[in-house]
Amino acid sequence: MTLGVVPACVFTDEIQTPAETTADAVRAQYEATLADVIETVGSDAVAAHADIDADTIAALAAGDSPTLTVTEAADILAASDDYPPADTLQAELQDHVMLQMSSAVLDVDALARGLDGDHDAKPLQQKLEGRQPMTLAEYARIHRYVAAQNPY
């Protein structure tokens, strides 16, 4: 499965068939991209750049799914010259979600309900705005759900 073609936009790539794509598949694509960066740049260089423990980096490189925040994932990508700085990636991600929510005519309450009631609207909004940490798994669910709701 390919989410898109522009590596700098891994978190914002278009999901071609969101209704048939699971959040786990979206997360797996993110993790595959992270593993590619680790392989290309090297575990030690990623660990030094991203300030993430070696066990987490080794797990990603081995194809496992450790718990990561979006911030940590952006830091890993930013270790490569192929990606923009982590803060740029995070800003792009936040803008993307807000624009897609607008296109889908989703407010935070509707998004929270659409995520099977796993989130309350206020903390979810704080995560979307970057004021609270968001896991990569949470973001994959949000990215997939908003894409499935967006008619454009």
Side-chain angles (χ1 to χ4, degrees), residues 101 104-117 119-121 124 128 145-146 149:
M101 286 175 64
V105 192
L106 284 174
D107 62 14
V108 177
D109 290 317
L111 177 59
R113 285 190 305 274
L115 297 173
D116 300 324
H119 293 86
D120 291 326
L124 181 58
L128 293 172
Y145 180 78
V146 172
Q149 300 305 306

Side-chain angles (χ1 to χ4, degrees), residues 7-151:
C9 299
V10 67
F11 296 134
T12 59
D13 284 342
E14 179 182 349
I15 300 171
Q16 297 296 320
T17 54
E20 292 86 35
T21 303
T22 66
D24 288 339
V26 174
R27 179 181 177 188
Q29 181 66 38
Y30 298 159
E31 290 169 345
T33 302
L34 295 172
D36 287 346
V37 167
I38 293 166
E39 181 180 331
T40 302
V41 176
S43 296
D44 292 339
V46 170
H49 178 84
D51 195 28
I52 297 172
D53 69 84
D55 290 340
T56 300
I57 292 170
L60 275 169
D64 294 334
S65 294
T67 300
L68 279 179
T69 65
V70 170
T71 300
E72 291 168 328
D75 284 341
I76 291 169
L77 292 176
S80 169
D81 291 338
D82 293 337
Y83 293 91
D87 58 343
T88 300
L89 284 167
Q90 286 191 273
E92 184 177 325
L93 174 147
Q94 291 166 339
D95 288 347
H96 173 76
V97 170
M98 295 301 180
L99 288 171
Q100 294 301 306
M101 286 175 64
S102 178
S103 289
V105 192
L106 284 174
D107 62 14
V108 177
D109 290 317
L111 177 59
R113 285 190 305 274
L115 297 173
D116 300 324
D118 288 349
H119 293 86
D120 291 326
K122 185 175 181 176
L124 181 58
Q125 181 169 348
Q126 292 172 342
K127 289 179 180 196
L128 293 172
E129 294 170 347
R131 294 185 288 137
Q132 293 287 329
M134 181 186 321
T135 68
L136 200 57
E138 289 172 319
Y139 179 69
R141 287 183 65 210
I142 292 165
H143 186 185
R144 196 227 52 92
Y145 180 78
V146 172
Q149 300 305 306
N150 197 333

